[in-house]
Amino acid sequence: MDTKIIQKATDMYLTLGFKSVTMDDIASEMGISKKTIYQHFENKNSLVEAVTMNLFETISCGIDAILTMGKNPIEELFVIKDFVLKNLKNESTSPIYQLQKYYPQIHKTLMSRQFDKMGDCVLVNLKKGMEQNLFRDDINVELIARFYFAGMTSIKDAELFNPIQFSTKEVQEAYLEYHLRGICTSKGVAILEQLIKNNNQ
Protein backbone atom coordinates (compact mmCIF):
# COMPACT_ATOMS: atom_id res chain seq x y z
CA MET A 1 0.00 0.00 0.00
CA ASP A 2 2.93 2.35 0.73
CA THR A 3 4.02 2.10 -2.91
CA LYS A 4 0.51 2.74 -4.26
CA ILE A 5 0.06 5.79 -2.04
CA ILE A 6 3.46 7.18 -3.07
CA GLN A 7 2.70 6.60 -6.77
CA LYS A 8 -0.67 8.34 -6.60
CA ALA A 9 0.67 11.19 -4.44
CA THR A 10 3.60 11.69 -6.84
CA ASP A 11 1.29 11.96 -9.83
CA MET A 12 -0.99 14.44 -8.05
CA TYR A 13 1.80 16.55 -6.54
CA LEU A 14 3.56 16.91 -9.89
CA THR A 15 0.34 17.72 -11.70
CA LEU A 16 -1.33 20.00 -9.16
CA GLY A 17 1.48 21.06 -6.82
CA PHE A 18 2.62 20.06 -3.32
CA LYS A 19 0.64 22.85 -1.68
CA SER A 20 -2.67 22.27 -3.48
CA VAL A 21 -3.10 18.53 -2.89
CA THR A 22 -4.48 17.48 0.50
CA MET A 23 -4.49 14.06 2.15
CA ASP A 24 -8.27 14.04 1.55
CA ASP A 25 -7.66 14.57 -2.18
CA ILE A 26 -5.27 11.60 -2.35
CA ALA A 27 -7.62 9.36 -0.34
CA SER A 28 -10.54 10.32 -2.59
CA GLU A 29 -8.56 9.63 -5.79
CA MET A 30 -7.50 6.22 -4.45
CA GLY A 31 -10.94 5.29 -3.13
CA ILE A 32 -9.61 4.72 0.38
CA SER A 33 -10.06 6.49 3.71
CA LYS A 34 -7.71 9.20 4.91
CA LYS A 35 -7.18 7.03 8.00
CA THR A 36 -5.61 4.35 5.77
CA ILE A 37 -3.04 6.84 4.49
CA TYR A 38 -2.21 7.90 8.05
CA GLN A 39 -1.55 4.26 8.93
CA HIS A 40 1.35 4.39 6.46
CA PHE A 41 2.42 8.05 6.69
CA GLU A 42 2.29 10.01 9.93
CA ASN A 43 1.36 13.30 8.24
CA LYS A 44 1.54 15.15 4.93
CA ASN A 45 5.13 16.18 5.61
CA SER A 46 6.25 12.53 5.85
CA LEU A 47 4.36 11.68 2.63
CA VAL A 48 5.91 14.62 0.77
CA GLU A 49 9.35 13.48 1.97
CA ALA A 50 8.70 9.89 0.84
CA VAL A 51 7.47 11.09 -2.57
CA THR A 52 10.45 13.42 -3.03
CA MET A 53 13.09 10.85 -2.13
CA ASN A 54 11.38 8.12 -4.19
CA LEU A 55 11.33 10.42 -7.21
CA PHE A 56 15.00 11.28 -6.64
CA GLU A 57 15.91 7.56 -6.58
CA THR A 58 13.86 6.86 -9.72
CA ILE A 59 15.57 9.68 -11.63
CA SER A 60 19.02 8.74 -10.28
CA CYS A 61 18.61 5.13 -11.45
CA GLY A 62 17.41 6.34 -14.85
CA ILE A 63 20.42 8.62 -15.22
CA ASP A 64 22.77 5.77 -14.24
CA ALA A 65 21.21 3.66 -17.00
CA ILE A 66 21.66 6.48 -19.54
CA LEU A 67 25.34 6.79 -18.59
CA THR A 68 25.91 3.16 -19.63
CA MET A 69 24.55 3.70 -23.16
CA GLY A 70 27.89 4.88 -24.55
CA LYS A 71 26.54 8.09 -26.06
CA ASN A 72 28.82 11.08 -26.65
CA PRO A 73 28.67 13.55 -23.72
CA ILE A 74 26.61 16.15 -25.61
CA GLU A 75 23.93 13.69 -26.65
CA GLU A 76 24.05 12.20 -23.14
CA LEU A 77 22.98 15.54 -21.61
CA PHE A 78 20.08 15.81 -24.06
CA VAL A 79 18.86 12.29 -23.24
CA ILE A 80 19.11 13.00 -19.49
CA LYS A 81 17.19 16.26 -19.95
CA ASP A 82 14.38 14.46 -21.81
CA PHE A 83 14.26 11.71 -19.18
CA VAL A 84 14.04 14.17 -16.27
CA LEU A 85 11.34 16.23 -18.01
CA LYS A 86 9.30 13.08 -18.62
CA ASN A 87 9.50 12.08 -14.96
CA LEU A 88 8.81 15.53 -13.53
CA LYS A 89 6.00 16.20 -16.04
CA ASN A 90 6.04 19.33 -18.16
CA GLU A 91 3.52 21.10 -15.94
CA SER A 92 3.11 24.71 -14.83
CA THR A 93 2.88 23.88 -11.11
CA SER A 94 6.63 24.34 -10.43
CA PRO A 95 6.78 21.43 -7.95
CA ILE A 96 10.40 22.06 -6.92
CA TYR A 97 9.68 25.73 -6.22
CA GLN A 98 6.63 24.78 -4.14
CA LEU A 99 8.74 22.23 -2.27
CA GLN A 100 11.30 24.93 -1.47
CA LYS A 101 8.61 27.37 -0.32
CA TYR A 102 6.39 25.08 1.76
CA TYR A 103 8.73 22.23 2.75
CA PRO A 104 12.16 23.93 3.07
CA GLN A 105 13.84 21.17 5.10
CA ILE A 106 12.85 18.46 2.63
CA HIS A 107 14.01 20.72 -0.22
CA LYS A 108 17.36 21.27 1.52
CA THR A 109 17.89 17.51 1.88
CA LEU A 110 16.94 16.99 -1.77
CA MET A 111 19.37 19.68 -2.95
CA SER A 112 22.20 18.08 -0.97
CA ARG A 113 21.52 14.66 -2.49
CA GLN A 114 21.11 16.15 -5.96
CA PHE A 115 24.44 17.97 -5.67
CA ASP A 116 26.25 14.77 -4.68
CA LYS A 117 24.67 12.85 -7.55
CA MET A 118 24.67 15.52 -10.23
CA GLY A 119 28.11 16.83 -9.30
CA ASP A 120 29.67 13.44 -9.97
CA CYS A 121 27.74 12.95 -13.23
CA VAL A 122 28.65 16.39 -14.58
CA LEU A 123 32.33 15.96 -13.71
CA VAL A 124 32.46 12.64 -15.58
CA ASN A 125 30.56 14.18 -18.50
CA LEU A 126 32.94 17.17 -18.71
CA LYS A 127 36.07 15.02 -18.55
CA LYS A 128 34.72 12.66 -21.20
CA GLY A 129 33.89 15.62 -23.45
CA MET A 130 37.42 16.97 -23.10
CA GLU A 131 38.93 13.57 -23.91
CA GLN A 132 36.80 13.36 -27.07
CA ASN A 133 37.73 16.91 -28.12
CA LEU A 134 34.07 17.98 -27.86
CA PHE A 135 34.67 20.29 -24.89
CA ARG A 136 37.48 22.83 -24.59
CA ASP A 137 40.56 21.52 -22.78
CA ASP A 138 41.07 24.76 -20.83
CA ILE A 139 37.88 24.64 -18.72
CA ASN A 140 37.98 24.30 -14.94
CA VAL A 141 35.81 21.20 -14.54
CA GLU A 142 35.17 21.66 -10.80
CA LEU A 143 33.99 25.23 -11.37
CA ILE A 144 31.91 24.48 -14.49
CA ALA A 145 30.22 21.55 -12.71
CA ARG A 146 29.14 23.94 -9.94
CA PHE A 147 28.02 26.58 -12.45
CA TYR A 148 25.88 23.93 -14.13
CA PHE A 149 24.33 22.73 -10.88
CA ALA A 150 23.66 26.30 -9.70
CA GLY A 151 22.00 27.12 -13.00
CA MET A 152 19.88 23.97 -13.00
CA THR A 153 18.73 24.86 -9.48
CA SER A 154 17.96 28.50 -10.33
CA ILE A 155 15.87 27.79 -13.43
CA LYS A 156 13.35 26.01 -11.18
CA ASP A 157 12.55 29.34 -9.49
CA ALA A 158 9.00 30.16 -10.60
CA GLU A 159 9.41 33.84 -9.75
CA LEU A 160 12.39 34.18 -12.09
CA PHE A 161 11.02 31.85 -14.75
CA ASN A 162 7.24 32.16 -14.62
CA PRO A 163 5.92 28.81 -15.91
CA ILE A 164 3.02 30.58 -17.61
CA GLN A 165 5.48 32.70 -19.61
CA PHE A 166 8.19 30.04 -20.09
CA SER A 167 7.44 26.32 -20.28
CA THR A 168 9.68 23.97 -18.28
CA LYS A 169 10.81 22.32 -21.53
CA GLU A 170 11.69 25.67 -23.12
CA VAL A 171 13.74 26.78 -20.10
CA GLN A 172 15.56 23.44 -19.75
CA GLU A 173 16.47 23.33 -23.45
CA ALA A 174 17.66 26.94 -23.54
CA TYR A 175 19.79 26.43 -20.44
CA LEU A 176 21.37 23.24 -21.79
CA GLU A 177 22.26 24.97 -25.06
CA TYR A 178 23.64 27.96 -23.10
CA HIS A 179 25.84 25.62 -21.01
CA LEU A 180 27.14 23.65 -23.98
CA ARG A 181 27.90 26.63 -26.22
CA GLY A 182 30.14 27.95 -23.46
CA ILE A 183 32.30 24.83 -23.29
CA CYS A 184 32.12 23.15 -26.73
CA THR A 185 34.89 23.05 -29.31
CA SER A 186 33.95 23.62 -32.96
CA LYS A 187 33.57 19.84 -33.26
CA GLY A 188 31.23 19.86 -30.26
CA VAL A 189 29.21 22.79 -31.59
CA ALA A 190 28.58 20.89 -34.84
CA ILE A 191 27.12 17.96 -32.86
CA LEU A 192 25.12 20.33 -30.65
CA GLU A 193 23.57 22.14 -33.61
CA GLN A 194 22.64 18.86 -35.27
CA LEU A 195 20.92 17.69 -32.07
CA ILE A 196 19.01 20.99 -31.80
CA LYS A 197 17.99 20.70 -35.46
CA ASN A 198 16.77 17.11 -34.95
CA ASN A 199 14.82 18.14 -31.82
CA ASN A 200 13.08 20.95 -33.72
CA GLN A 201 11.95 18.75 -36.60
Side-chain angles (χ1 to χ4, degrees), residues 139-156:
I139 60 174
N140 181 329
V141 290
E142 294 284 348
L143 192 57
I144 296 299
R146 282 167 169 75
F147 281 165
Y148 188 67
F149 180 80
M152 287 297 290
T153 304
S154 295
I155 63 175
K156 292 168 185 146

Side-chain angles (χ1 to χ4, degrees), residues 2-4 10-11 40 50 55 60 64 69 90-91 96 104 112 116 126 150 152 160 173 186 198 201:
D2 281 29
T3 303
K4 289 182 179 178
T10 300
D11 185 57
H40 296 269
L55 197 55
S60 293
D64 286 342
M69 290 178 179
N90 186 21
E91 300 291 344
I96 300 300
S112 175
D116 290 340
L126 289 170
M152 287 297 290
L160 275 176
E173 289 180 348
S186 55
N198 291 345
Q201 285 178 351

Side-chain angles (χ1 to χ4, degrees), residues 113-124 145-146 149:
R113 294 186 69 181
Q114 278 187 338
F115 179 73
D116 290 340
K117 176 70 181 178
M118 193 171 158
D120 290 342
C121 289
V122 175
L123 282 172
V124 170
R146 282 167 169 75
F149 180 80

